[in-house]
Amino acid sequence: MPSAEEKLNWNSRNITDGDRRAPNRAMMRAVGFSDEDFRKPVIAIASGHSTITPCNAGIRPLEQSAEKGIFAAGGMAQVFGTITISDGISMGSEGMKFSLVSREVIADSIETVCRGQHMDALVAIGGCDKNMPGAMMAIARLNIPSIFVYGGTIYPGHYKDRDLNIVSVFESVGQYQAGRIDQNEFEQIEKHACPGTGSCGGMYTANTMSSAIEALGMSLPGSSTMGSPDQEKVDSAGESGKTVYELLKRNIRPSDIMTRNAFENAIAVVMAMGGSTNAVLHLLAIAHDMNVELTIDDFERIAKKVPHILDMKPSGKYLAVDLHRLGGVPRVMKMLLDAGLIHGDCLTCTGKTVAENLAQIPSGLPENQDLIYPLEKPMYKRGHLVILRGNLAPGGAVAKISGVAKPAISGPARIFDSEEQCMDAILSDEIAPGDIIVIRYEGPRGGPGMREMLSPTSALIGKGLGDSVGLITDGRFSGGTYGMVVGHVAPEAALGGPIALLREGEIITIDAEDNLLQIHITEAELEVRRKEWKERPPRYRRGVIAKYASLVGSAEFGAVTDDVFPE
């Protein structure tokens, strides 16, 4: 592995390498390089700026600030763009199938540019849900000095003295259908929910992953809960540009930071904060690309010892900007560190350890607030994510129990082979209390793309069925989902998993206390059905989603697309 000095002299060698490198230098002169600049390290800025979604619409100033920080430190910044899909806009449509696909495209695109252009270091900037894991997967593969910059969170909208966010709109669909609000109220919620730039405001997937990345040590302390419109977000991006230059000088690489213990820290923070089920999928994928051994069962092990202490949406009251005012992720991490629940000796992107970063953070709870609970009197005694197994999910499934009135439910299966079929049934009042909805053939390969089921789960909440109806799927859930819901069921239906063998009306048990997802039929009957089951033809035969479906692995391993060759 090159030393720091060798890395810093890479471009210097170019200028003394005779005619062989002259065409390269000529091209670089056209974008502003001088003779002196060829002696500087080239630091990439992978920017997710886009006006497709408010999550990414505020990134351009961050990109420019990071660029200035790199130049000020002595590096040469080169900016390139990467893509985004707005989960909130594509939710409930065919477009949502491309959301998880975009994670892989983002990772592949950043890896492609940085390897193809021999970048010395990387600043990745992203906002919407898949920007972050996609960027982190690329960072892990590249293993060049890197830092992640979050685009920032949105502020709440307001209507009738009520704070609103995007999930308010999804839930209003069910409320309107149930006659609980009128047309005017419905329209006003939609018009006021999203007041400006930034990612969805609760502890949904974007803020969950920004917090997890900070806990991993790959973004600056305190940066993961900043508001998108705020000047401190711009300043933090500039500081990140300077910081990555220091990482390069010291040859501190992602493999030095993203260790097994660092992933355990990230999981602990996700559990304490009540983060999205998608954290399981994404952290497994990042660990895979970092060659760190991490399994779905590690989440359950850590959840049993780390309590859920933050009262945040979707099941709670508060948003990420509220947490930021109380000290953000560093305040939470200090509580966990003092209790021995995270590893303080992990190196971070600051060049300091977790414990050193937190040395000046006050211990104990902030005063006059009810967002952060004491560890000894938490909201829930264990982490809110539960890994379920049983004859319906031998490969595992993920449940989210925060805000759930009853942690166990049994009832008849109501089976749908697509999200749309299920949504029609909910809005037509065909679902009754006690039912267990099954949405299958929505997994990584079967969907393809493992769509999020925020529309049906929000409709259930809006209709007042959130506590009385269960839902299981081989698809995913938005970070905005709550209730008795179970996702990531593995093996998925498209692979002939038990979820494909279910029949209408058969009794299913979801038991979060005993980690059980069970269908009440015999193994012998399941075996008969396995032999009768036939694989369905692929839904897509061309384009990116067809390629994705042909490569993607199981959700229990992160739904990655590059694990096709045996070790």
Side-chain angles (χ1 to χ4, degrees):
M1 185 173 289
S3 68
E5 183 179 359
E6 287 172 328
K7 286 299 293 182
L8 283 169
N9 286 332
W10 185 85
N11 288 297
S12 178
R13 289 199 299 274
N14 288 350
I15 203 167
T16 59
D17 208 12
D19 292 339
R20 185 168 66 87
R21 301 296 298 182
N24 306 64
R25 296 196 301 275
M27 296 287 285
M28 295 171 84
R29 289 185 195 281
V31 294
F33 277 67
S34 66
D35 285 352
E36 181 62 28
D37 294 331
F38 289 113
R39 296 182 172 87
K40 300 174 182 177
V42 180
I43 299 175
I45 298 176
S47 172
H49 172 76
S50 167
T51 58
I52 286 174
T53 171
C55 312
N56 292 53
I59 284 177
R60 184 54 50 77
L62 311 186
E63 166 196 314
Q64 295 167 340
S65 182
E67 187 177 31
K68 290 177 182 176
I70 290 168
F71 285 133
M76 286 300 291
Q78 289 198 300
V79 181
F80 66 92
T82 187
I83 68 159
T84 192
I85 294 288
S86 171
D87 287 11
I89 294 173
S90 64
M91 195 75 69
S93 75
E94 192 81 354
M96 174 49 74
K97 293 182 178 181
F98 290 84
S99 170
L100 192 58
V101 175
S102 77
R103 184 190 75 175
E104 312 307 305
V105 175
I106 291 164
D108 291 350
S109 67
I110 295 174
E111 179 189 11
T112 298
V113 173
C114 288
R115 289 199 193 281
Q117 298 299 119
H118 300 284
M119 296 298 184
D120 295 311
L122 169 65
V123 176
I125 311 175
C128 203
D129 293 6
K130 307 310 173 295
N131 297 178
M132 284 163 279
M136 292 304 299
M137 289 163 70
I139 285 170
R141 295 175 195 172
L142 291 163
N143 201 30
I144 57 176
S146 302
I147 196 167
F148 181 79
V149 175
Y150 180 38
T153 186
I154 197 170
Y155 275 83
H158 300 280
Y159 177 64
K160 289 186 175 179
D161 298 321
R162 173 187 167 198
D163 282 352
L164 300 174
N165 63 89
I166 187 60
V167 175
S168 308
V169 185
F170 281 97
E171 292 179 359
S172 72
V173 174
Q175 292 168 344
Y176 177 73
Q177 290 287 332
R180 298 167 68 187
I181 59 174
D182 61 19
Q183 178 73 26
N184 179 66
E185 181 100 353
F186 177 72
E187 291 178 358
Q188 293 304 317
I189 290 171
E190 179 258 307
K191 290 177 180 178
H192 291 87
C194 299
T197 64
S199 297
C200 299
M203 195 44 59
Y204 311 146
T205 300
N207 287 323
T208 297
M209 290 310 301
S210 69
S211 300
I213 291 167
E214 181 177 329
L216 266 174
M218 290 299 297
S219 61
L220 291 181
S223 64
S224 64
T225 52
M226 292 176 177
S228 170
D230 294 344
Q231 181 61 39
E232 66 173 346
K233 186 75 257 184
V234 177
D235 296 341
S236 176
E239 188 62 29
S240 296
K242 297 175 184 177
T243 299
V244 80
Y245 185 85
E246 293 302 313
L247 291 172
L248 181 58
K249 284 204 302 184
R250 296 176 60 181
N251 198 27
I252 296 175
R253 297 166 180 265
S255 57
D256 300 315
I257 297 172
M258 289 197 285
T259 62
R260 163 76 185 205
N261 283 350
F263 278 97
E264 291 191 352
N265 286 351
I267 295 170
V269 167
V270 168
M271 295 300 174
M273 298 178 77
S276 167
T277 54
N278 284 309
V280 178
L281 195 76
H282 297 326
L283 288 173
L284 286 171
I286 298 166
H288 164 79
D289 282 337
M290 197 69 264
N291 293 313
V292 170
E293 290 188 10
L294 193 71
T295 72
I296 195 171
D297 294 314
D298 289 315
F299 289 81
E300 179 63 22
R301 176 178 57 81
I302 294 171
K304 286 180 177 178
K305 67 177 184 178
V306 178
H308 177 184
I309 59 172
L310 266 61
D311 187 15
M312 297 189 70
K313 291 183 180 294
S315 60
K317 293 188 290 186
Y318 294 102
L319 299 175
V321 289
D322 300 313
L323 175 61
H324 190 65
R325 297 185 189 103
L326 299 178
V329 172
R331 194 68 184 252
V332 177
M333 291 184 72
K334 183 60 175 273
M335 293 175 65
L336 297 177
L337 180 66
D338 288 346
L341 295 173
I342 60 173
H343 305 281
D345 58 351
C346 291
L347 186 64
T348 73
C349 65
T350 65
K352 300 177 181 179
T353 66
V354 167
E356 288 171 334
N357 285 341
L358 299 176
Q360 303 304 315
I361 303 297
S363 294
L365 288 173
E367 296 180 353
N368 302 316
Q369 57 85 35
D370 60 353
L371 190 162
I372 307 175
Y373 281 58
L375 285 165
E376 60 274 15
K377 292 183 179 179
M379 293 189 69
Y380 302 95
K381 292 182 178 180
R382 57 153 290 152
H384 65 300
L385 300 182
V386 181
I387 306 304
L388 306 181
R389 292 188 186 272
N391 65 358
L392 197 47
V398 183
K400 184 178 181 181
I401 60 172
S402 51
V404 172
K406 296 183 293 184
I409 184 173
S410 291
R414 300 298 313 280
I415 297 175
F416 305 95
D417 286 352
S418 72
E419 179 186 1
E420 287 84 357
Q421 290 179 7
C422 174
M423 192 66 177
D424 289 345
I426 294 170
L427 296 181
S428 300
D429 295 323
E430 297 172 24
I431 303 300
D435 285 346
I436 307 292
I437 294 171
V438 178
I439 306 177
R440 62 189 183 185
Y441 291 99
E442 289 284 9
R445 182 166 298 185
M450 207 179 177
R451 283 194 288 185
E452 293 179 349
M453 303 296 156
L454 181 59
S455 293
T457 58
S458 296
L460 288 171
I461 296 292
K463 282 184 171 286
L465 295 171
D467 291 330
S468 59
V469 171
L471 190 154
I472 71 170
T473 180
D474 52 8
R476 297 182 294 128
F477 293 112
S478 163
T481 289
Y482 64 100
M484 182 48 78
V485 297
V486 181
H488 307 200
V489 173
E492 63 173 291
L495 298 178
I499 193 172
L501 312 179
L502 283 168
R503 294 176 182 172
E504 184 82 7
E506 292 179 331
I507 301 301
I508 295 171
T509 291
I510 305 170
D511 190 335
E513 290 183 330
D514 288 336
N515 301 88
L516 184 67
L517 185 59
Q518 191 83 3
I519 175 67
H520 293 271
I521 59 175
T522 66
E523 182 58 36
E525 175 61 21
L526 277 174
E527 186 57 35
V528 169
R529 296 183 190 182
R530 284 190 191 98
K531 293 177 180 178
E532 295 173 347
W533 178 83
K534 293 182 180 180
E535 184 177 357
R536 296 187 174 191
R539 290 178 170 174
Y540 297 82
R541 295 183 179 275
R542 295 287 186 274
V544 64
I545 201 164
K547 289 186 284 188
Y548 176 87
S550 70
L551 292 172
V552 69
S554 178
E556 66 181 294
F557 305 115
V560 297
T561 57
D562 61 351
D563 195 21
V564 293
F565 299 107
E567 292 292 340

